[in-house]
Amino acid sequence: MTAIRPAWAWIALAAAGLGCQKDYRVGLQEEDKVPVAQPDSGAVGEDAPDWADCTRGWRGQYFNHLEGHADFGELSPTEPPFDPGLVDWWDEGYAAFERYDATLDIGPGFWPVDQGFPDDPAYFAVRWTAWVYVEEAGPVTAYATASTDLWVEVDGQPVAQLHGDGEAASDTIGLDLPLGQSPVTVYFAQRRGDSAVALRFVGEGANFCYPDFEG
C-alpha cells in the first residue's frame, strides 16, 4: 500500500517529548478544548464527542511485552501482518496503562512503558483511538514515521500502514476519508531497535477529537 522510505529528515518532529510521561492519564484542561464544526448528520456512536466543544487528542492504551514473546526482540523473524487484529500484541493480558495523548507527532526516543520488568522499556505496543469528522471532500494527508510497525484504521478499515526494521521509516500517505463522522484507530508496535513514532494528519475540513468514554 505504501512505499517505505527510511529517513531521519523529519528531525523537526523530535521536540514532542510525550515518551517521558509515566502518569496513567493526563487530566484534561479547559484550555485544551478546541471548538470544531457541528456535524450536519445525527449519526453518533456511544463514545462520540460533542463536536461543538470537544477536546483534541487521543486515548492511548499501552501494552508491555518481553523479549520472550515470539514477535518481539532483535532476533524475531516475525513479519508484520496486513491486519493488526491477527496478532495478540494489544490483548488485555499485556495492558500496562492508558492516558490522554495530545498528539501522535512524537519523534525518536519514545519509551513510555517501564514497569520494572527485565526487558523494559524495550518492547511495547500502543493503541490510540479518536474520532474524525470530515466536513468536505478533499485530500487528507498522513505524514507517518515508525521504527517498526504502524497501522491506521478508519471505521474499522485499514487505510495506511508503515513498517521499519528497527530504524525509522517515513512516508507521506494520501487518505480517502469518508464524509461525516468516523472512529479512527492507530496501532503502533515497538518490536526491535530504537523507538520512534510520528503521525500527523493534514487536510482542509478534517477534525480530530478525543473519544469520550466511561472509566
Side-chain angles (χ1 to χ4, degrees):
M1 180 180 296
T2 62
I4 297 174
R5 299 193 299 272
W8 283 97
W10 46 271
I11 294 176
L13 304 180
L18 290 180
C20 297
Q21 299 181 19
K22 294 292 196 302
D23 51 332
Y24 277 55
R25 191 170 170 195
V26 177
L28 306 181
Q29 305 298 321
E30 286 299 318
E31 57 266 25
D32 294 328
K33 292 191 174 183
V34 180
V36 296
Q38 186 70 24
D40 295 329
S41 70
V44 295
E46 65 179 38
D47 292 336
D50 175 2
W51 286 97
D53 184 26
C54 74
T55 300
R56 300 294 177 90
W58 299 79
R59 176 190 184 185
Q61 296 169 285
Y62 289 74
F63 302 82
N64 202 358
H65 290 280
L66 302 178
E67 193 169 15
H69 191 299
D71 300 335
F72 289 78
E74 299 299 327
L75 301 180
S76 171
T78 302
E79 293 298 323
F82 176 76
D83 180 358
L86 297 177
V87 293
D88 67 352
W89 305 345
W90 297 273
D91 284 3
E92 287 304 311
Y94 300 112
F97 60 87
E98 69 177 53
R99 72 185 186 192
Y100 164 73
D101 286 326
T103 180
L104 304 188
D105 196 356
I106 298 170
F110 181 50
W111 303 108
V113 182
D114 189 345
Q115 297 177 298
F117 297 152
D119 296 324
D120 285 350
Y123 310 113
F124 63 92
V126 191
R127 179 172 59 224
W128 286 292
T129 52
W131 286 86
V132 62
Y133 178 65
V134 180
E135 298 179 61
E136 57 189 50
V140 175
T141 302
Y143 296 94
T145 296
S147 48
T148 46
D149 306 307
L150 180 72
W151 296 262
V152 180
E153 291 185 352
V154 175
D155 201 13
Q157 300 300 313
V159 297
Q161 60 177 323
L162 180 65
H163 305 287
D165 191 20
E167 295 185 5
S170 297
D171 201 4
T172 300
I173 306 165
L175 304 179
D176 183 18
L177 300 183
L179 292 175
Q181 175 178 277
S182 302
V184 180
T185 304
V186 176
Y187 296 92
F188 173 71
Q190 172 57 30
R191 298 191 296 119
R192 63 174 71 89
D194 295 324
S195 178
V197 62
L199 183 63
R200 290 186 295 127
F201 296 93
V202 178
E204 293 293 330
N207 300 297
F208 289 82
C209 278
Y210 182 79
D212 294 332
F213 65 96
E214 297 295 329

